[in-house]
Amino acid sequence: MRSGIFGVIKGDSQNLGCTKPTKLSQKLIQTKNSALHGTWFGELSYPAEELLSDPEKFNMLEGPTQGFHYDPQSRKLALHVDFARQHPVFYYHKSQLFAFANSLEKLCELLKAHDIKIKADEQGASMLLTYSSILGNKTLVKGVRKLMPGYSLFYSDNKVELINRNNLQDLDRHISDKSSAIELLDSTFKSVTNAVATTNADLGADQINLLSGGIDSRMVFMQSVKASNSVSTLCFSAEGYLDHQISQQISKDYNIDYNFCNLNPGTYMMCTDSMEDYDGTINFLASAHHRFALNNFNNQGIIASGQLGNEILAEFYNPNNDFYDTLESITTMKGVGGGEKDVWNATPDSTLFKLYNRGFLYTNSAAYSTLDGTLYSPFTSKEFVKAALQLHPSLLKDHFIYLEWMKARYPESICYKWERYRVKPVVGMSLKLAKLKMSILTRFIYPLSNFRCDSMSPLQHWYKESKILQQFFSKTFEENIEQLDSVPSLESFVKQNYAFMNITNKASVLTLLLALKKYVNS
């Protein structure tokens, strides 16, 4: 179980607390009525209690952090989660009871202690199957909500008030000058990447950088080697694939300690522990490879990754996408669904919808699925995201500003191929043709193939080739099929279609069944 804050307020009584940090990278400042827990960079600008009582002051923190403050005079509770929700908080409110915790397991434990019957949220279950994750603030437990990324919550007089500390929708995309854009991106990126290296040095932790063949992790690595005296890299991929080749070459050229974890033949997919890491809100395969690859690393502090750089600077932006287009782009299983309109109405903008629901609540959630370290991407820092959201659309098209930034400030980064397109990341006709080719392959050819060697982790190919994997997914389904009784609206669909689903959708079903068993029917 993760460490962090928890509490129950029932009528005039309160039971508030915080468990001790379990990771080298985490810190805790606790008093009788407050607790600040997690990983933050640099010194605090205010005393912890003052910072925790004011959402604007809490918002000055950078890093995966959570906290609460209770004022016994006004009987007011303030609850906070970090900008990208990398240190999650869940809450429940009904009648005179308000409860919160850093994990769904802990919150369910608190609710059961107060005789609350745990029931499944069928909308949440439906979204888990449809999108491989639960969108918005819902969970698999009825009445339990996520405190959304960058939000604070006040509870007093039996009322809940939610505060969006950043209001990203109000940012204006006014920066159209290339030089100004590059300077803004570079200054924010360097600041937070250097802060990661400094924090690891202060902790006495190793500087570990995840490195693939993509451009995001490459950028973080190239700034990390400038900021840290010693860097180790880790690549996890099918052996011999481009991710392996490119990351190995970069590490060799920089004379860096290189570590490689071969994901072949996919047996790591039989480890479902990530279901609990994700509180049943995300397909367990989303970070099973992270867990597997990091098992042999000691002295983990903040593990640097490049998650979401490409998405934030290019791919999440599509002003022509409406509600239906946006949902279609993230759908992994057809035939189920429901409740998405409310999520869209909360963020009726394609870019921000994807940032929150595909970025922060899905891809970036791997930040808290690592056992010993804290995974962190500088691209998800508050200041970098705000900088990116101020860039004029003309700079985002065809990755223009990203590639120009690389060329201007990290020229060595464009000397290696971009794994996704098999060419160097340089603006020009070669990259345009490579993108067109990849678009055709992705749309028409790859869906008909087994991805034998054209993927970092060819999940479907591994599944088709392995009797062990097939038996595991079949046996686990059969052993837990009775959990579907808790979600009757999905029972018939799942039973009829499970055998014909691809490996990703099978994993979503197993995530649902194991989570229902853990949280609802335990």
mmCIF file of all heavy atoms in Angstrom, residues 416-457:
data_model
loop_
_atom_site.group_PDB
_atom_site.id
_atom_site.type_symbol
_atom_site.label_atom_id
_atom_site.label_comp_id
_atom_site.label_asym_id
_atom_site.label_seq_id
_atom_site.Cartn_x
_atom_site.Cartn_y
_atom_site.Cartn_z
ATOM 1 N N TYR A 416 20.515 11.367 -34.068
ATOM 2 C CA TYR A 416 20.047 9.987 -33.968
ATOM 3 C C TYR A 416 18.623 9.883 -34.517
ATOM 4 O O TYR A 416 17.830 10.818 -34.417
ATOM 5 C CB TYR A 416 20.055 9.524 -32.502
ATOM 6 C CG TYR A 416 21.382 9.698 -31.822
ATOM 7 C CD1 TYR A 416 21.680 10.886 -31.141
ATOM 8 C CD2 TYR A 416 22.348 8.696 -31.861
ATOM 9 C CE1 TYR A 416 22.902 11.061 -30.510
ATOM 10 C CE2 TYR A 416 23.576 8.864 -31.232
ATOM 11 C CZ TYR A 416 23.848 10.052 -30.563
ATOM 12 O OH TYR A 416 25.063 10.225 -29.947
ATOM 13 N N LYS A 417 18.296 8.732 -35.050
ATOM 14 C CA LYS A 417 16.967 8.536 -35.619
ATOM 15 C C LYS A 417 15.881 8.652 -34.553
ATOM 16 O O LYS A 417 16.101 8.377 -33.378
ATOM 17 C CB LYS A 417 16.871 7.159 -36.288
ATOM 18 C CG LYS A 417 17.597 7.050 -37.614
ATOM 19 C CD LYS A 417 17.369 5.678 -38.241
ATOM 20 C CE LYS A 417 18.068 5.584 -39.591
ATOM 21 N NZ LYS A 417 17.858 4.249 -40.219
ATOM 22 N N TRP A 418 14.724 9.042 -34.995
ATOM 23 C CA TRP A 418 13.515 9.080 -34.176
ATOM 24 C C TRP A 418 12.816 7.744 -34.386
ATOM 25 O O TRP A 418 12.359 7.437 -35.479
ATOM 26 C CB TRP A 418 12.651 10.241 -34.639
ATOM 27 C CG TRP A 418 11.434 10.539 -33.830
ATOM 28 C CD1 TRP A 418 10.921 9.837 -32.788
ATOM 29 C CD2 TRP A 418 10.556 11.659 -34.021
ATOM 30 N NE1 TRP A 418 9.780 10.432 -32.303
ATOM 31 C CE2 TRP A 418 9.535 11.561 -33.048
ATOM 32 C CE3 TRP A 418 10.535 12.726 -34.914
ATOM 33 C CZ2 TRP A 418 8.503 12.493 -32.959
ATOM 34 C CZ3 TRP A 418 9.509 13.650 -34.827
ATOM 35 C CH2 TRP A 418 8.510 13.537 -33.854
ATOM 36 N N GLU A 419 12.738 6.942 -33.351
ATOM 37 C CA GLU A 419 12.218 5.572 -33.473
ATOM 38 C C GLU A 419 10.861 5.517 -34.164
ATOM 39 O O GLU A 419 10.613 4.641 -34.999
ATOM 40 C CB GLU A 419 12.129 4.944 -32.075
ATOM 41 C CG GLU A 419 11.455 3.582 -32.023
ATOM 42 C CD GLU A 419 9.956 3.681 -31.815
ATOM 43 O OE1 GLU A 419 9.495 4.640 -31.165
ATOM 44 O OE2 GLU A 419 9.230 2.799 -32.319
ATOM 45 N N ARG A 420 9.992 6.438 -33.848
ATOM 46 C CA ARG A 420 8.630 6.377 -34.382
ATOM 47 C C ARG A 420 8.596 6.452 -35.902
ATOM 48 O O ARG A 420 7.799 5.773 -36.555
ATOM 49 C CB ARG A 420 7.786 7.510 -33.797
ATOM 50 C CG ARG A 420 6.377 7.561 -34.368
ATOM 51 C CD ARG A 420 5.542 8.636 -33.722
ATOM 52 N NE ARG A 420 5.261 8.330 -32.325
ATOM 53 C CZ ARG A 420 4.451 9.058 -31.559
ATOM 54 N NH1 ARG A 420 3.863 10.127 -32.051
ATOM 55 N NH2 ARG A 420 4.235 8.725 -30.313
ATOM 56 N N TYR A 421 9.479 7.279 -36.483
ATOM 57 C CA TYR A 421 9.429 7.505 -37.931
ATOM 58 C C TYR A 421 10.644 6.979 -38.680
ATOM 59 O O TYR A 421 10.714 7.081 -39.903
ATOM 60 C CB TYR A 421 9.253 9.004 -38.202
ATOM 61 C CG TYR A 421 7.984 9.549 -37.604
ATOM 62 C CD1 TYR A 421 8.024 10.463 -36.550
ATOM 63 C CD2 TYR A 421 6.741 9.134 -38.064
ATOM 64 C CE1 TYR A 421 6.856 10.958 -35.981
ATOM 65 C CE2 TYR A 421 5.574 9.618 -37.503
ATOM 66 C CZ TYR A 421 5.632 10.531 -36.462
ATOM 67 O OH TYR A 421 4.474 11.011 -35.904
ATOM 68 N N ARG A 422 11.632 6.451 -37.968
ATOM 69 C CA ARG A 422 12.811 5.825 -38.581
ATOM 70 C C ARG A 422 13.710 6.800 -39.325
ATOM 71 O O ARG A 422 14.510 6.402 -40.166
ATOM 72 C CB ARG A 422 12.411 4.711 -39.557
ATOM 73 C CG ARG A 422 12.150 3.350 -38.957
ATOM 74 C CD ARG A 422 10.931 3.261 -38.128
ATOM 75 N NE ARG A 422 10.560 1.867 -37.882
ATOM 76 C CZ ARG A 422 9.614 1.510 -37.039
ATOM 77 N NH1 ARG A 422 8.946 2.427 -36.359
ATOM 78 N NH2 ARG A 422 9.328 0.240 -36.853
ATOM 79 N N VAL A 423 13.580 8.079 -39.072
ATOM 80 C CA VAL A 423 14.458 9.089 -39.669
ATOM 81 C C VAL A 423 14.882 10.053 -38.569
ATOM 82 O O VAL A 423 14.326 10.046 -37.468
ATOM 83 C CB VAL A 423 13.752 9.878 -40.803
ATOM 84 C CG1 VAL A 423 13.394 8.962 -41.958
ATOM 85 C CG2 VAL A 423 12.523 10.607 -40.273
ATOM 86 N N LYS A 424 15.852 10.906 -38.870
ATOM 87 C CA LYS A 424 16.306 11.880 -37.883
ATOM 88 C C LYS A 424 15.234 12.959 -37.681
ATOM 89 O O LYS A 424 14.540 13.333 -38.635
ATOM 90 C CB LYS A 424 17.626 12.503 -38.330
ATOM 91 C CG LYS A 424 18.778 11.506 -38.323
ATOM 92 C CD LYS A 424 20.088 12.145 -38.770
ATOM 93 C CE LYS A 424 21.214 11.114 -38.729
ATOM 94 N NZ LYS A 424 22.511 11.682 -39.174
ATOM 95 N N PRO A 425 15.097 13.463 -36.454
ATOM 96 C CA PRO A 425 14.052 14.450 -36.147
ATOM 97 C C PRO A 425 14.426 15.854 -36.623
ATOM 98 O O PRO A 425 14.777 16.732 -35.830
ATOM 99 C CB PRO A 425 13.958 14.380 -34.620
ATOM 100 C CG PRO A 425 15.324 13.977 -34.184
ATOM 101 C CD PRO A 425 15.842 13.053 -35.245
ATOM 102 N N VAL A 426 14.333 16.053 -37.925
ATOM 103 C CA VAL A 426 14.694 17.325 -38.541
ATOM 104 C C VAL A 426 13.547 17.770 -39.439
ATOM 105 O O VAL A 426 13.020 16.973 -40.231
ATOM 106 C CB VAL A 426 15.990 17.198 -39.373
ATOM 107 C CG1 VAL A 426 16.338 18.530 -40.026
ATOM 108 C CG2 VAL A 426 17.138 16.708 -38.498
ATOM 109 N N VAL A 427 13.145 19.032 -39.319
ATOM 110 C CA VAL A 427 12.075 19.568 -40.157
ATOM 111 C C VAL A 427 12.483 19.471 -41.623
ATOM 112 O O VAL A 427 13.583 19.879 -42.001
ATOM 113 C CB VAL A 427 11.780 21.041 -39.798
ATOM 114 C CG1 VAL A 427 10.767 21.635 -40.780
ATOM 115 C CG2 VAL A 427 11.256 21.150 -38.370
ATOM 116 N N GLY A 428 11.621 18.900 -42.458
ATOM 117 C CA GLY A 428 11.940 18.786 -43.880
ATOM 118 C C GLY A 428 11.140 17.697 -44.554
ATOM 119 O O GLY A 428 10.316 17.011 -43.935
ATOM 120 N N MET A 429 11.398 17.497 -45.837
ATOM 121 C CA MET A 429 10.632 16.552 -46.635
ATOM 122 C C MET A 429 10.833 15.111 -46.178
ATOM 123 O O MET A 429 9.902 14.297 -46.219
ATOM 124 C CB MET A 429 11.028 16.688 -48.111
ATOM 125 C CG MET A 429 10.172 15.839 -49.055
ATOM 126 S SD MET A 429 8.387 16.153 -48.884
ATOM 127 C CE MET A 429 8.319 17.858 -49.471
ATOM 128 N N SER A 430 12.039 14.770 -45.746
ATOM 129 C CA SER A 430 12.314 13.400 -45.315
ATOM 130 C C SER A 430 11.390 12.992 -44.166
ATOM 131 O O SER A 430 10.814 11.896 -44.173
ATOM 132 C CB SER A 430 13.777 13.271 -44.883
ATOM 133 O OG SER A 430 14.041 11.968 -44.403
ATOM 134 N N LEU A 431 11.226 13.882 -43.196
ATOM 135 C CA LEU A 431 10.358 13.579 -42.057
ATOM 136 C C LEU A 431 8.895 13.561 -42.479
ATOM 137 O O LEU A 431 8.118 12.717 -42.021
ATOM 138 C CB LEU A 431 10.577 14.602 -40.943
ATOM 139 C CG LEU A 431 9.759 14.392 -39.661
ATOM 140 C CD1 LEU A 431 10.010 13.010 -39.071
ATOM 141 C CD2 LEU A 431 10.081 15.472 -38.629
ATOM 142 N N LYS A 432 8.499 14.463 -43.364
ATOM 143 C CA LYS A 432 7.113 14.485 -43.839
ATOM 144 C C LYS A 432 6.746 13.168 -44.519
ATOM 145 O O LYS A 432 5.668 12.612 -44.301
ATOM 146 C CB LYS A 432 6.896 15.655 -44.796
ATOM 147 C CG LYS A 432 6.776 17.006 -44.112
ATOM 148 C CD LYS A 432 6.391 18.087 -45.114
ATOM 149 C CE LYS A 432 6.179 19.422 -44.412
ATOM 150 N NZ LYS A 432 5.764 20.490 -45.353
ATOM 151 N N LEU A 433 7.642 12.677 -45.368
ATOM 152 C CA LEU A 433 7.390 11.413 -46.059
ATOM 153 C C LEU A 433 7.350 10.251 -45.070
ATOM 154 O O LEU A 433 6.541 9.328 -45.207
ATOM 155 C CB LEU A 433 8.468 11.172 -47.119
ATOM 156 C CG LEU A 433 8.439 12.112 -48.331
ATOM 157 C CD1 LEU A 433 9.642 11.857 -49.235
ATOM 158 C CD2 LEU A 433 7.139 11.942 -49.113
ATOM 159 N N ALA A 434 8.221 10.306 -44.065
ATOM 160 C CA ALA A 434 8.247 9.247 -43.053
ATOM 161 C C ALA A 434 6.945 9.231 -42.255
ATOM 162 O O ALA A 434 6.411 8.166 -41.924
ATOM 163 C CB ALA A 434 9.437 9.449 -42.124
ATOM 164 N N LYS A 435 6.421 10.413 -41.947
ATOM 165 C CA LYS A 435 5.155 10.498 -41.216
ATOM 166 C C LYS A 435 4.003 9.954 -42.060
ATOM 167 O O LYS A 435 3.122 9.257 -41.551
ATOM 168 C CB LYS A 435 4.872 11.950 -40.815
ATOM 169 C CG LYS A 435 5.742 12.465 -39.682
ATOM 170 C CD LYS A 435 5.344 13.890 -39.305
ATOM 171 C CE LYS A 435 6.139 14.387 -38.116
ATOM 172 N NZ LYS A 435 5.745 15.755 -37.710
ATOM 173 N N LEU A 436 4.014 10.284 -43.353
ATOM 174 C CA LEU A 436 2.970 9.787 -44.252
ATOM 175 C C LEU A 436 3.018 8.265 -44.331
ATOM 176 O O LEU A 436 1.983 7.587 -44.254
ATOM 177 C CB LEU A 436 3.147 10.396 -45.642
ATOM 178 C CG LEU A 436 2.168 9.906 -46.719
ATOM 179 C CD1 LEU A 436 0.734 10.246 -46.329
ATOM 180 C CD2 LEU A 436 2.520 10.513 -48.078
ATOM 181 N N LYS A 437 4.219 7.731 -44.466
ATOM 182 C CA LYS A 437 4.384 6.278 -44.530
ATOM 183 C C LYS A 437 3.879 5.619 -43.252
ATOM 184 O O LYS A 437 3.164 4.608 -43.297
ATOM 185 C CB LYS A 437 5.860 5.937 -44.751
ATOM 186 C CG LYS A 437 6.146 4.442 -44.774
ATOM 187 C CD LYS A 437 7.639 4.177 -44.944
ATOM 188 C CE LYS A 437 7.935 2.680 -44.894
ATOM 189 N NZ LYS A 437 9.394 2.414 -45.035
ATOM 190 N N MET A 438 4.249 6.190 -42.098
ATOM 191 C CA MET A 438 3.832 5.610 -40.828
ATOM 192 C C MET A 438 2.321 5.696 -40.649
ATOM 193 O O MET A 438 1.692 4.787 -40.094
ATOM 194 C CB MET A 438 4.545 6.318 -39.674
ATOM 195 C CG MET A 438 4.308 5.676 -38.311
ATOM 196 S SD MET A 438 4.728 3.906 -38.258
ATOM 197 C CE MET A 438 6.465 3.958 -38.693
ATOM 198 N N SER A 439 1.722 6.775 -41.137
ATOM 199 C CA SER A 439 0.270 6.923 -41.057
ATOM 200 C C SER A 439 -0.433 5.820 -41.837
ATOM 201 O O SER A 439 -1.417 5.234 -41.371
ATOM 202 C CB SER A 439 -0.141 8.293 -41.599
ATOM 203 O OG SER A 439 -1.546 8.421 -41.622
ATOM 204 N N ILE A 440 0.084 5.516 -43.014
ATOM 205 C CA ILE A 440 -0.502 4.461 -43.845
ATOM 206 C C ILE A 440 -0.321 3.094 -43.185
ATOM 207 O O ILE A 440 -1.247 2.283 -43.122
ATOM 208 C CB ILE A 440 0.141 4.469 -45.249
ATOM 209 C CG1 ILE A 440 -0.226 5.767 -45.980
ATOM 210 C CG2 ILE A 440 -0.307 3.254 -46.053
ATOM 211 C CD1 ILE A 440 0.521 5.965 -47.283
ATOM 212 N N LEU A 441 0.888 2.847 -42.673
ATOM 213 C CA LEU A 441 1.155 1.572 -42.008
ATOM 214 C C LEU A 441 0.261 1.382 -40.785
ATOM 215 O O LEU A 441 -0.307 0.308 -40.568
ATOM 216 C CB LEU A 441 2.624 1.506 -41.581
ATOM 217 C CG LEU A 441 3.663 1.337 -42.694
ATOM 218 C CD1 LEU A 441 5.069 1.478 -42.127
ATOM 219 C CD2 LEU A 441 3.509 -0.020 -43.370
ATOM 220 N N THR A 442 0.136 2.433 -39.988
ATOM 221 C CA THR A 442 -0.648 2.349 -38.754
ATOM 222 C C THR A 442 -2.125 2.126 -39.041
ATOM 223 O O THR A 442 -2.809 1.378 -38.338
ATOM 224 C CB THR A 442 -0.473 3.636 -37.923
ATOM 225 O OG1 THR A 442 0.914 3.822 -37.641
ATOM 226 C CG2 THR A 442 -1.242 3.551 -36.622
ATOM 227 N N ARG A 443 -2.605 2.775 -40.097
ATOM 228 C CA ARG A 443 -4.038 2.713 -40.386
ATOM 229 C C ARG A 443 -4.449 1.459 -41.143
ATOM 230 O O ARG A 443 -5.509 0.885 -40.887
ATOM 231 C CB ARG A 443 -4.444 3.953 -41.184
ATOM 232 C CG ARG A 443 -5.945 4.091 -41.364
ATOM 233 C CD ARG A 443 -6.291 5.433 -41.970
ATOM 234 N NE ARG A 443 -7.725 5.601 -42.113
ATOM 235 C CZ ARG A 443 -8.297 6.682 -42.638
ATOM 236 N NH1 ARG A 443 -7.543 7.686 -43.057
ATOM 237 N NH2 ARG A 443 -9.611 6.765 -42.737
ATOM 238 N N PHE A 444 -3.602 1.013 -42.073
ATOM 239 C CA PHE A 444 -4.037 -0.058 -42.964
ATOM 240 C C PHE A 444 -3.262 -1.372 -42.841
ATOM 241 O O PHE A 444 -3.815 -2.440 -43.077
ATOM 242 C CB PHE A 444 -3.945 0.413 -44.424
ATOM 243 C CG PHE A 444 -4.795 1.610 -44.720
ATOM 244 C CD1 PHE A 444 -4.215 2.848 -44.943
ATOM 245 C CD2 PHE A 444 -6.177 1.507 -44.759
ATOM 246 C CE1 PHE A 444 -5.000 3.963 -45.219
ATOM 247 C CE2 PHE A 444 -6.970 2.609 -45.028
ATOM 248 C CZ PHE A 444 -6.379 3.846 -45.259
ATOM 249 N N ILE A 445 -1.982 -1.304 -42.492
ATOM 250 C CA ILE A 445 -1.154 -2.514 -42.522
ATOM 251 C C ILE A 445 -1.012 -3.161 -41.151
ATOM 252 O O ILE A 445 -1.279 -4.351 -40.973
ATOM 253 C CB ILE A 445 0.252 -2.200 -43.093
ATOM 254 C CG1 ILE A 445 0.123 -1.517 -44.460
ATOM 255 C CG2 ILE A 445 1.071 -3.484 -43.181
ATOM 256 C CD1 ILE A 445 -0.610 -2.342 -45.500
ATOM 257 N N TYR A 446 -0.592 -2.382 -40.136
ATOM 258 C CA TYR A 446 -0.337 -2.947 -38.817
ATOM 259 C C TYR A 446 -1.544 -3.655 -38.199
ATOM 260 O O TYR A 446 -1.378 -4.688 -37.546
ATOM 261 C CB TYR A 446 0.173 -1.867 -37.864
ATOM 262 C CG TYR A 446 1.610 -1.468 -38.110
ATOM 263 C CD1 TYR A 446 2.127 -0.305 -37.544
ATOM 264 C CD2 TYR A 446 2.452 -2.247 -38.895
ATOM 265 C CE1 TYR A 446 3.446 0.069 -37.760
ATOM 266 C CE2 TYR A 446 3.763 -1.877 -39.119
ATOM 267 C CZ TYR A 446 4.259 -0.718 -38.546
ATOM 268 O OH TYR A 446 5.557 -0.356 -38.754
ATOM 269 N N PRO A 447 -2.772 -3.131 -38.372
ATOM 270 C CA PRO A 447 -3.917 -3.846 -37.777
ATOM 271 C C PRO A 447 -4.086 -5.265 -38.309
ATOM 272 O O PRO A 447 -4.731 -6.097 -37.673
ATOM 273 C CB PRO A 447 -5.111 -2.966 -38.178
ATOM 274 C CG PRO A 447 -4.528 -1.601 -38.330
ATOM 275 C CD PRO A 447 -3.176 -1.834 -38.938
ATOM 276 N N LEU A 448 -3.496 -5.556 -39.483
ATOM 277 C CA LEU A 448 -3.623 -6.887 -40.074
ATOM 278 C C LEU A 448 -2.448 -7.795 -39.726
ATOM 279 O O LEU A 448 -2.438 -8.969 -40.066
ATOM 280 C CB LEU A 448 -3.723 -6.764 -41.605
ATOM 281 C CG LEU A 448 -4.866 -5.879 -42.126
ATOM 282 C CD1 LEU A 448 -4.792 -5.788 -43.643
ATOM 283 C CD2 LEU A 448 -6.219 -6.431 -41.688
ATOM 284 N N SER A 449 -1.447 -7.241 -39.050
ATOM 285 C CA SER A 449 -0.235 -8.006 -38.759
ATOM 286 C C SER A 449 -0.151 -8.365 -37.290
ATOM 287 O O SER A 449 -0.970 -7.961 -36.478
ATOM 288 C CB SER A 449 1.007 -7.192 -39.147
ATOM 289 O OG SER A 449 1.222 -6.153 -38.206
ATOM 290 N N ASN A 450 0.873 -9.131 -36.950
ATOM 291 C CA ASN A 450 1.124 -9.508 -35.557
ATOM 292 C C ASN A 450 2.200 -8.645 -34.913
ATOM 293 O O ASN A 450 2.655 -8.939 -33.819
ATOM 294 C CB ASN A 450 1.565 -10.974 -35.471
ATOM 295 C CG ASN A 450 0.424 -11.936 -35.726
ATOM 296 O OD1 ASN A 450 -0.733 -11.566 -35.597
ATOM 297 N ND2 ASN A 450 0.752 -13.162 -36.092
ATOM 298 N N PHE A 451 2.635 -7.588 -35.623
ATOM 299 C CA PHE A 451 3.701 -6.724 -35.108
ATOM 300 C C PHE A 451 4.923 -7.573 -34.712
ATOM 301 O O PHE A 451 5.471 -7.428 -33.639
ATOM 302 C CB PHE A 451 3.227 -5.945 -33.867
ATOM 303 C CG PHE A 451 2.136 -4.967 -34.153
ATOM 304 C CD1 PHE A 451 0.817 -5.374 -34.184
ATOM 305 C CD2 PHE A 451 2.424 -3.642 -34.399
ATOM 306 C CE1 PHE A 451 -0.198 -4.466 -34.441
ATOM 307 C CE2 PHE A 451 1.411 -2.732 -34.654
ATOM 308 C CZ PHE A 451 0.096 -3.148 -34.675
ATOM 309 N N ARG A 452 5.353 -8.447 -35.597
ATOM 310 C CA ARG A 452 6.399 -9.407 -35.228
ATOM 311 C C ARG A 452 7.672 -8.728 -34.729
ATOM 312 O O ARG A 452 8.269 -9.151 -33.763
ATOM 313 C CB ARG A 452 6.723 -10.312 -36.421
ATOM 314 C CG ARG A 452 5.605 -11.286 -36.757
ATOM 315 C CD ARG A 452 6.059 -12.269 -37.807
ATOM 316 N NE ARG A 452 7.180 -13.071 -37.353
ATOM 317 C CZ ARG A 452 7.069 -14.195 -36.664
ATOM 318 N NH1 ARG A 452 5.878 -14.642 -36.333
ATOM 319 N NH2 ARG A 452 8.135 -14.865 -36.290
ATOM 320 N N CYS A 453 8.106 -7.676 -35.415
ATOM 321 C CA CYS A 453 9.357 -7.044 -34.988
ATOM 322 C C CYS A 453 9.274 -5.526 -35.057
ATOM 323 O O CYS A 453 10.268 -4.850 -34.858
ATOM 324 C CB CYS A 453 10.523 -7.537 -35.841
ATOM 325 S SG CYS A 453 10.317 -7.216 -37.597
ATOM 326 N N ASP A 454 8.106 -4.997 -35.366
ATOM 327 C CA ASP A 454 7.973 -3.559 -35.550
ATOM 328 C C ASP A 454 7.376 -2.871 -34.337
ATOM 329 O O ASP A 454 6.552 -1.984 -34.461
ATOM 330 C CB ASP A 454 7.114 -3.259 -36.790
ATOM 331 C CG ASP A 454 7.895 -3.472 -38.079
ATOM 332 O OD1 ASP A 454 9.109 -3.219 -38.067
ATOM 333 O OD2 ASP A 454 7.295 -3.898 -39.068
ATOM 334 N N SER A 455 7.763 -3.294 -33.169
ATOM 335 C CA SER A 455 7.233 -2.663 -31.965
ATOM 336 C C SER A 455 8.186 -2.865 -30.802
ATOM 337 O O SER A 455 8.862 -3.890 -30.701
ATOM 338 C CB SER A 455 5.863 -3.253 -31.619
ATOM 339 O OG SER A 455 5.403 -2.763 -30.393
ATOM 340 N N MET A 456 8.215 -1.868 -29.938
ATOM 341 C CA MET A 456 8.996 -1.962 -28.707
ATOM 342 C C MET A 456 8.493 -3.121 -27.844
ATOM 343 O O MET A 456 9.267 -3.838 -27.217
ATOM 344 C CB MET A 456 8.860 -0.642 -27.951
ATOM 345 C CG MET A 456 9.275 -0.657 -26.508
ATOM 346 S SD MET A 456 8.842 0.928 -25.757
ATOM 347 C CE MET A 456 9.119 0.540 -24.040
ATOM 348 N N SER A 457 7.176 -3.303 -27.823
ATOM 349 C CA SER A 457 6.580 -4.402 -27.056
ATOM 350 C C SER A 457 5.398 -4.965 -27.851
ATOM 351 O O SER A 457 4.268 -4.517 -27.681
ATOM 352 C CB SER A 457 6.117 -3.919 -25.675
ATOM 353 O OG SER A 457 5.352 -2.738 -25.789
#
